[in-house]
Every structure is written in structure tokens, then in C-alpha cells.
Amino acid sequence: MATTAAPLPGFARVPHPAPRAAEDRAAILANPGFGTTFTDHMVEIDFDAGGSNGPGISNGAGEWHDPRVVPYGPIALDPAAAVLHYAQEIFEGLKAYRLDDGGIALFRPQANAARFNASARRLAMPELPEDLFVEAVRQQVLADRDWFPTVEGGSLYLRPFMFASEAFLGVRPSRKYKFLVIASPAGNYFKSGAPAVSIFVSDYTRAAPGGTGAAKCGGNYAASLVPTAEAFARGHDQVLFLDAAEHRWIEELGGMNLFFVMADGSIVTPPLSGTILPGITRESLITLAREEGLVVREERYALDQWRADAASGALIESFACGTAAVVTPVGKVADTAGEFVIGSGGPGQVTQRLRQRLVSIQRGQTADTHGWVHRIA
Ligand SMILES: *Cc1c(COP(=O)(O)O)cnc(C)c1O
């Protein structure tokens, strides 16, 4: 884990010369959608490994410098920038919430910072000190604190990311990187706003053992676009990936982890085997479910078993989870062989209760006994 003992650097501030007009902003905030509009500012920090003729491994050597809050806008990139050729890119996703008392909080930002560095290590990128990550996110939110949606369930979605910016075509880790944080007012993630989603089991593989499945990197998403488009074309909302070796064990959706609620009061979720993304929502829900007295088993679960358990009634609910959509009930599952319905096809009681508990902690409406809520204003 990378931490820094040194004091945090001060962030330079360049206010936007022409921020969005108040009435435009109000219209966006009343109907934000997801990920389509961005706030007035962004955070930018640069990394240089230094020494232009060195071996070129940047981990551990080099420095992050010039942290700044600047007007949101295009960034200039050399056409040879490494990210454009070999996809050295990682990202995070977290939300800032407006609390009932007017304050602002982040949910478990240190967990995002730690996961960001785990992703960085896998992609041979430099780690960002965790407290610098959290401070960058805080600076971003405070710069655009009048950008919180006014709709029910709204939040400010934050996207920290890092990419290789050195101009070269040799295959080795870049010696220069950019870290940015951008923010987007967010409403509901699923376009349809459906209470339960329909998912399609893909024949494609998302991640193989030893690959990058546990890293939050853009490349994983690039590889998931064709399977996702296929799911959409067949009328489903999301794509489900099975394991690479046997094509039998359930892994996760394109960007969400999965849970299975059994009639006996236990909950199953696939283990962190290295091929799925260790979701912070996943981990939080495991904790909350155990507090409710549910037995949570992190265990492999096969597609055939899921189908059989849904038919027999041994399984009563399933849901997907992730920061963007929080908790989303799964109503229907399909593959090329046919489809099956989960429970009544709508949101189940355990799913709704866990969702409500998590959301009320995130929004400061329920006591936070875990130190998850990180107040910044
Ligand atoms: C980000 C992500 C998740 C969910 O993680 P959270 O920390 O809960 O937002 C799940 N799967 C994939 C592939 C992801 O990229």
C-alpha cells in the first residue's frame, strides 16, 4: 500500500473563465442521466519518472507533481502517447452524496485509492499516494459543489483515472503519466429505469486466470463491448460472463458483481479469484448482510445450478451491484439455450432491504458504524 508521510502538496486553482450558465446547469441537474454531462472543472496531476535514458520502469521511482484544479476541457496528447497504442490506462468510479444537513460525503474513498494502486501495479504504472488520491477527489468535488443533481437518488459521479502519456512506440512501461479526476452529475444508471434487469450469458470471456480481470482498466471494458452489444441486440440490459476455463462458473457482469439469495436465508457471491473485480459495493453488502444475520458464502456458483435453483425455488432472488447502479435486481437470465426467471421476476425483499440499508448509510440517514462515510463538507 502506498502512503506518503510528506505533507500533501497544495493544489493550484485555475477557475473556469466561463462556467456553465446557471439555467443550463439547473436543467442538467434536474435530468442528469448518466455520464453524459460534466462539471466545470477537473483535477490534473502529472507523473515523471525522470531520466530519459533509464530502464523505464516507473514504479517506485519518479514523482507526482503540479496538482491543480483547472477548467474542464480537452487535453493535448502526443499522437505517440503510449496509452493510445498499448492501453496503459486505469480508472476508478465513486460518488459524492449531498447529505440531508447540506454537507457532502464520499463513500469509502480510501478503498478506491487502494484498489487504484492495485490496478496500477498490474498495469506497470506508478502508484499514487492514497491520501493524494482522496485529496484530489475532494478538491474536484469542492470545486464543483453546486453540481449536485436535484433529482431523487442523484449524486455526483467521480471518475479518477490515469494513463500513460509518454510519446514512444517501444513496448515498455511509460515514464510519464497523467492522473485526472472528472465529475458528472448522475441520476439513474439504467436507461429503462426498470425495477429488475434482464441479463444475457455471453459466450465471450471477460478475464482469464493471470489476466487483468481484477484490475479496473479500460482494456477490460473494450473487450466487453461486443458481448454487451450482443446482449442489447437480443433485448437484454446487461451481459454476464462465465469463467474462461470451463465456461460454467458465474463470474460477474460487464461492470457489476453478482449475488444470489437462497430460500434458506444464505447468500452466495463468487469469490475474488483474480478474474473478477473486487467491488467496494460487493464488500460493503457482504458486511451488511452478515450484520443482518444472513450467512454469506463467497463460493463458486455454476450457471446450471442457478437455473436449477431458480426452478426449484431454492434460489429466490439475485442482484447485481456496483457504484453506478448501487443494487440492481436481476429478473431474468438468458443464454442461447433459453431463459429463466428469478423469483417473481421483480425486485426481491432481501435485495431491496440491503439496497435501502446501503443507500441510507451512503446518504447519512443511518448511523455509519463502519467509518465508511467520508465527510468533506
Ligand atoms: C467497478 C466494477 C465493479 C463494481 O465495483 P464497485 O467498487 O462496487 O463500484 C464490478 N465489476 C467491474 C468489472 C467493475 O469495473
Side-chain angles (χ1 to χ4, degrees):
M1 213 184 285
T3 50
T4 179
L8 284 173
F11 280 61
R13 287 157 185 280
V14 182
H16 201 296
R20 198 83 60 115
E23 68 266 28
D24 290 357
R25 194 177 67 225
I28 292 166
L29 298 181
N31 186 18
F34 185 87
T36 50
T37 49
F38 300 93
T39 61
D40 289 325
H41 298 89
M42 62 186 187
V43 163
E44 210 173 332
I45 315 179
D46 295 310
F47 180 90
D48 272 285
S52 55
N53 296 313
I57 299 294
S58 49
N59 278 6
E63 64 164 351
W64 291 100
H65 61 88
D66 293 309
R68 54 207 186 269
V69 181
V70 295
Y72 182 94
I75 42 179
L77 265 191
D78 191 293
V83 65
L84 301 177
H85 304 275
Y86 310 123
Q88 245 191 317
E89 191 270 351
I90 58 171
F91 66 95
E92 274 300 326
L94 70 165
K95 284 174 171 175
Y97 301 92
R98 246 283 171 239
L99 306 175
D100 288 347
D101 65 5
I104 299 171
L106 302 169
F107 185 71
R108 305 188 68 184
Q110 290 91 350
N112 293 95
R115 186 172 66 187
F116 192 68
N117 283 337
S119 299
R121 289 190 294 272
R122 181 63 184 84
L123 276 285
M125 299 168 87
E127 296 183 37
L128 185 72
E130 285 182 22
D131 47 3
L132 183 54
F133 178 102
V134 175
E135 176 63 8
V137 170
R138 190 182 77 95
Q139 292 277 345
Q140 170 57 47
V141 175
L142 295 182
D144 289 322
R145 56 189 301 162
D146 47 3
W147 275 91
F148 280 82
T150 47
V151 291
E152 174 72 28
S155 58
L156 191 60
Y157 182 81
L158 300 156
R159 170 54 59 87
F161 61 105
M162 189 213 307
F163 60 87
S165 53
E166 188 187 355
F168 75 102
L169 296 179
V171 180
R172 59 155 172 80
S174 173
R175 282 188 286 248
K176 290 182 197 288
Y177 296 87
K178 268 189 184 298
F179 171 81
L180 287 92
V181 185
I182 58 175
S184 175
N188 277 328
Y189 182 74
F190 283 105
K191 274 198 215 86
S192 60
V197 297
S198 166
I199 65 180
F200 182 70
V201 183
S202 185
D203 285 334
Y204 288 95
T205 296
R206 175 183 173 272
T212 57
K216 211 166 173 71
C217 60
N220 290 342
Y221 278 75
S224 77
L225 296 178
V226 162
T228 302
E230 186 184 354
F232 287 173
R234 289 169 180 268
H236 303 284
D237 304 299
Q238 277 285 324
V239 66
L240 166 69
F241 293 102
L242 301 176
D243 76 290
E246 295 178 68
H247 205 68
R248 176 176 174 216
W249 305 102
I250 295 163
E251 298 228 303
E252 63 171 318
L253 305 188
M256 280 185 280
N257 298 116
L258 273 173
F259 282 79
F260 310 95
V261 182
M262 304 299 169
D264 68 5
S266 66
I267 297 189
V268 174
T269 192
L272 299 180
S273 57
T275 54
I276 69 171
L277 205 284
I280 294 161
T281 317
R282 173 190 179 279
E283 197 203 64
S284 306
L285 290 169
I286 290 174
T287 302
L288 295 179
R290 287 188 174 141
E291 277 175 10
E292 290 213 350
L294 297 165
V295 173
V296 183
R297 287 177 283 128
E298 294 180 68
E299 225 167 69
R300 294 202 299 179
Y301 192 57
L303 175 63
D304 283 346
Q305 193 68 46
W306 193 13
R307 195 191 313 265
D309 288 346
S312 73
L315 171 130
I316 49 175
E317 302 175 28
S318 302
F319 61 86
C321 68
T323 295
V326 194
V327 170
T328 303
V330 174
K332 197 167 75 178
V333 184
D335 63 8
T336 44
E339 58 183 52
F340 59 97
V341 173
I342 308 293
S344 60
Q349 281 177 10
V350 176
T351 300
Q352 282 177 299
R353 200 168 66 236
L354 287 174
R355 175 187 225 282
Q356 190 45 45
R357 278 213 62 198
L358 181 59
V359 167
S360 64
I361 293 171
Q362 289 172 331
R363 293 183 179 270
Q365 294 154 345
T366 300
D368 168 32
T369 55
H370 305 95
W372 287 344
V373 176
H374 183 95
R375 202 175 172 113
I376 58 172

